Protein backbone atom coordinates (compact mmCIF):
# COMPACT_ATOMS: atom_id res chain seq x y z
CA UNK A 1 0.00 0.00 0.00
CA UNK A 2 1.25 3.49 -0.86
CA UNK A 3 2.16 5.40 2.35
CA UNK A 4 1.42 8.80 0.75
CA UNK A 5 -2.07 7.65 -0.20
CA UNK A 6 -2.66 6.44 3.37
CA UNK A 7 -1.58 9.78 4.85
CA UNK A 8 -3.75 11.78 2.46
CA UNK A 9 -6.83 9.70 3.30
CA UNK A 10 -6.35 9.94 7.08
CA UNK A 11 -9.40 11.48 8.77
CA UNK A 12 -7.99 11.73 12.29
CA UNK A 13 -4.57 12.72 13.62
CA UNK A 14 -2.03 10.29 14.99
CA UNK A 15 -1.16 10.99 18.62
CA UNK A 16 2.42 10.00 19.41
CA UNK A 17 3.53 9.34 22.98
CA UNK A 18 5.30 12.48 24.29
CA UNK A 19 9.02 11.98 24.78
CA UNK A 20 11.21 13.34 27.53
CA UNK A 21 14.31 15.35 26.68
CA UNK A 22 17.05 15.68 29.28
CA UNK A 23 14.65 14.26 31.92
CA UNK A 24 12.10 17.00 31.23
CA UNK A 25 8.72 16.41 29.63
CA UNK A 26 8.37 17.78 26.12
CA UNK A 27 6.08 20.71 25.41
CA UNK A 28 3.08 19.73 23.34
CA UNK A 29 1.38 22.26 21.03
CA UNK A 30 -2.31 21.39 20.96
CA UNK A 31 -5.19 22.59 18.79
CA UNK A 32 -8.78 21.74 19.72
CA UNK A 33 -11.72 22.79 17.54
CA UNK A 34 -15.42 23.29 18.05
CA UNK A 35 -17.85 20.91 16.39
CA UNK A 36 -18.65 22.12 12.86
CA UNK A 37 -16.48 25.23 13.41
CA UNK A 38 -19.17 26.86 15.59
CA UNK A 39 -17.96 30.25 16.83
CA UNK A 40 -18.75 29.71 20.51
CA UNK A 41 -15.50 29.96 22.47
CA UNK A 42 -14.47 33.64 22.47
CA UNK A 43 -16.65 34.83 25.36
CA UNK A 44 -15.65 35.84 28.89
CA UNK A 45 -17.71 33.14 30.63
CA UNK A 46 -16.34 30.44 28.32
CA UNK A 47 -12.77 31.66 28.75
CA UNK A 48 -13.17 31.33 32.55
CA UNK A 49 -14.81 27.91 32.20
CA UNK A 50 -12.00 26.53 30.03
CA UNK A 51 -9.25 27.88 32.30
CA UNK A 52 -11.04 26.50 35.36
CA UNK A 53 -11.30 23.07 33.68
CA UNK A 54 -7.57 23.07 32.90
CA UNK A 55 -6.88 23.91 36.55
CA UNK A 56 -9.00 20.95 37.71
CA UNK A 57 -7.37 18.62 35.15
CA UNK A 58 -3.97 19.41 36.60
CA UNK A 59 -2.07 16.25 35.66
CA UNK A 60 -1.01 18.20 32.57
CA UNK A 61 0.17 21.80 32.97
CA UNK A 62 -1.04 24.45 30.54
CA UNK A 63 1.40 27.17 29.53
CA UNK A 64 0.45 29.87 27.03
CA UNK A 65 -2.90 29.61 25.29
CA UNK A 66 -5.22 31.49 22.99
CA UNK A 67 -8.95 30.91 22.62
CA UNK A 68 -10.35 31.79 19.21
CA UNK A 69 -14.05 31.79 18.32
CA UNK A 70 -13.95 28.26 16.87
CA UNK A 71 -10.70 26.72 18.12
CA UNK A 72 -8.19 26.76 20.96
CA UNK A 73 -4.39 26.66 20.80
CA UNK A 74 -2.43 25.77 23.89
CA UNK A 75 0.93 24.52 25.03
CA UNK A 76 1.10 21.87 27.72
CA UNK A 77 3.45 19.47 29.47
CA UNK A 78 2.84 16.32 31.44
CA UNK A 79 2.91 17.34 35.10
CA UNK A 80 2.29 13.86 36.53
CA UNK A 81 4.13 10.82 35.15
CA UNK A 82 1.35 8.57 36.51
CA UNK A 83 -1.03 10.15 33.95
CA UNK A 84 1.01 10.43 30.74
CA UNK A 85 -1.89 9.95 28.32
CA UNK A 86 -2.57 13.20 26.45
CA UNK A 87 -5.73 11.87 24.83
CA UNK A 88 -7.30 11.03 28.23
CA UNK A 89 -6.38 14.44 29.60
CA UNK A 90 -7.97 16.27 26.65
CA UNK A 91 -11.08 14.10 26.93
CA UNK A 92 -11.29 14.85 30.65
CA UNK A 93 -11.09 18.66 30.46
CA UNK A 94 -13.38 18.73 27.41
CA UNK A 95 -15.98 16.81 29.45
CA UNK A 96 -15.58 19.25 32.36
CA UNK A 97 -16.24 22.14 29.99
CA UNK A 98 -19.19 20.35 28.32
CA UNK A 99 -20.84 19.46 31.62
CA UNK A 100 -20.74 23.11 32.74
CA UNK A 101 -21.51 24.73 29.39
CA UNK A 102 -23.97 27.61 29.95
CA UNK A 103 -25.86 27.31 26.64
CA UNK A 104 -27.32 23.80 26.15
CA UNK A 105 -28.49 24.66 22.61
CA UNK A 106 -24.82 24.90 21.55
CA UNK A 107 -24.14 21.24 22.43
CA UNK A 108 -22.28 19.28 21.20
CA UNK A 109 -19.43 21.73 21.37
CA UNK A 110 -16.30 19.71 20.55
CA UNK A 111 -14.84 18.21 17.44
CA UNK A 112 -14.12 14.54 18.20
CA UNK A 113 -10.35 14.78 18.08
CA UNK A 114 -7.49 17.25 18.37
CA UNK A 115 -4.15 18.01 16.75
CA UNK A 116 -0.91 17.84 18.67
CA UNK A 117 2.74 18.43 17.93
CA UNK A 118 5.71 17.85 20.18
CA UNK A 119 8.04 20.84 20.28
CA UNK A 120 11.81 20.46 20.22
CA UNK A 121 12.92 23.25 22.54
CA UNK A 122 12.17 26.59 24.20
CA UNK A 123 13.04 28.52 21.05
CA UNK A 124 10.48 26.54 19.06
CA UNK A 125 7.89 27.25 21.80
CA UNK A 126 8.45 31.01 21.61
CA UNK A 127 8.42 31.04 17.80
CA UNK A 128 5.17 29.03 17.69
CA UNK A 129 3.63 31.31 20.35
CA UNK A 130 4.45 34.44 18.35
CA UNK A 131 2.76 32.86 15.33
CA UNK A 132 -0.48 31.80 17.06
CA UNK A 133 -0.65 34.98 19.13
CA UNK A 134 -1.31 36.80 15.85
CA UNK A 135 -4.33 34.62 15.00
CA UNK A 136 -6.87 37.25 16.15
CA UNK A 137 -5.13 39.88 13.99
CA UNK A 138 -4.96 37.54 10.99
CA UNK A 139 -8.69 36.77 11.37
CA UNK A 140 -9.55 40.49 11.54
CA UNK A 141 -10.80 40.32 15.13
CA UNK A 142 -8.38 42.91 16.57
CA UNK A 143 -5.66 45.17 15.21
CA UNK A 144 -3.14 44.38 17.94
CA UNK A 145 -2.69 40.91 19.52
CA UNK A 146 -2.42 42.57 22.95
CA UNK A 147 -6.08 43.59 22.61
CA UNK A 148 -7.35 39.98 22.34
CA UNK A 149 -8.95 39.18 25.69
CA UNK A 150 -9.03 35.40 25.37
CA UNK A 151 -5.40 34.48 25.90
CA UNK A 152 -3.02 33.96 28.76
CA UNK A 153 -0.54 31.73 30.52
CA UNK A 154 -1.27 29.41 33.42
CA UNK A 155 2.19 27.91 34.01
CA UNK A 156 5.72 28.71 32.93
CA UNK A 157 6.75 25.67 30.90
CA UNK A 158 10.44 26.51 30.44
Amino acid sequence: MNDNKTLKSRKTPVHFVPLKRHNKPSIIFLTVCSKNKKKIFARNEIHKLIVHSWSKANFWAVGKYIIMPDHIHLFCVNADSKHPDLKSWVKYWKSLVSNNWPSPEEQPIWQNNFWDRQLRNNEHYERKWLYIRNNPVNHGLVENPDNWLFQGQLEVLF
Side-chain angles (χ1 to χ4, degrees):
M1 181 145 96
N2 183 341
D3 286 338
N4 288 338
K5 187 176 182 181
T6 302
L7 289 175
K8 287 180 183 177
S9 65
R10 182 175 301 281
K11 300 265 190 231
T12 59
V14 175
H15 303 295
F16 296 104
V17 175
L19 302 174
K20 285 189 173 189
R21 297 181 195 277
H22 309 291
N23 290 327
K24 292 182 180 178
S26 294
I27 294 177
I28 305 297
F29 171 56
L30 194 65
T31 300
V32 181
C33 298
S34 65
K35 179 110 177 147
N36 301 323
K37 296 281 195 178
K38 292 185 279 191
K39 297 182 184 309
I40 56 175
F41 295 143
R43 305 187 318 233
N44 285 328
E45 65 184 329
I46 302 305
H47 182 192
K48 288 177 187 173
L49 175 60
I50 291 169
V51 168
H52 179 72
S53 296
W54 289 334
S55 296
K56 286 189 85 165
N58 60 4
F59 42 98
W60 279 73
V62 174
K64 296 177 182 178
Y65 67 88
I66 190 158
I67 300 172
M68 297 294 291
D70 62 354
H71 66 280
I72 300 166
H73 292 299
L74 65 119
F75 298 91
C76 58
V77 296
N78 185 326
D80 180 353
S81 60
K82 294 176 191 164
H83 298 93
D85 184 21
L86 180 66
K87 195 171 186 175
S88 296
W89 176 69
V90 172
K91 183 178 180 179
Y92 178 60
W93 67 257
K94 283 166 83 173
S95 72
L96 291 173
V97 171
S98 294
N99 291 336
N100 293 290
W101 196 261
S103 306
E105 69 280 359
E106 293 174 336
Q107 297 275 2
I109 57 176
W110 301 110
Q111 186 180 63
N112 284 337
N113 225 315
F114 59 89
W115 298 93
D116 60 301
R117 175 176 290 176
Q118 187 169 305
L119 303 184
R120 285 181 231 130
N121 55 41
N122 190 21
E123 184 179 305
H124 197 197
Y125 177 36
E126 289 304 320
R127 193 169 43 242
K128 196 69 145 169
W129 170 246
L130 290 174
Y131 174 77
I132 67 163
R133 190 170 177 270
N134 281 306
N135 262 357
V137 174
N138 296 337
H139 288 269
L141 300 170
V142 291
E143 290 184 20
N144 183 326
D146 292 334
N147 296 337
W148 187 247
L149 301 175
F150 313 108
Q151 63 180 314
Q153 180 174 356
L154 300 185
E155 302 285 338
V156 176
L157 301 183
F158 262 111

